[in-house]
Amino acid sequence: MTTGEAVERIVGALAEVDGLHPATSSSPVGREGTAVDLSPGVVRVRLIATRLPIPPLLDRAAQAVRAVLAGTEWENARLRLVITDLDGAAFPRLPSQ
């Protein structure tokens, strides 16, 4: 699997995790793949949370990413999932007075 294919598969797997999505670059490219960095020792994924609590979301994301990495050169890399932002949708709305 190439790096590009791995990134696409990781982004696709994360699309199945309700409450998280890849953080995109502010560059004109704006691709979701820019949220994923692959190196032999570390796989880093920057995420935005849209729900709380965060720890169970990260557990599901880790399982999804690990499944993609199984059998690849990144299978034994450390996985770093980084929440870069918390969407306002994660907070319950208070009734207006």
Side-chain angles (χ1 to χ4, degrees):
M1 175 182 325
T2 68
T3 300
E5 291 169 336
V7 168
E8 285 182 34
R9 290 182 185 179
I10 289 169
V11 169
L14 290 170
E16 301 299 317
V17 179
D18 189 34
L20 290 176
H21 63 85
T24 55
S25 168
S26 60
S27 73
V29 176
R31 293 185 16 208
E32 288 181 325
T34 61
V36 180
D37 295 322
L38 297 173
S39 68
V42 179
V43 173
R44 181 177 295 117
V45 183
R46 289 171 296 285
L47 300 160
I48 296 173
T50 59
R51 287 188 23 216
L52 296 173
I54 291 174
L57 297 175
L58 291 177
D59 289 342
R60 288 196 297 277
Q63 290 173 349
V65 173
R66 283 284 172 212
V68 170
L69 298 176
T72 71
E73 63 185 281
W74 304 282
E75 180 174 31
N76 295 315
R78 280 185 288 162
L79 180 58
R80 291 192 180 157
L81 301 174
V82 181
I83 300 294
T84 62
D85 200 2
L86 183 59
D87 190 288
F91 298 100
R93 293 187 182 260
L94 297 174
S96 56
Q97 297 180 352

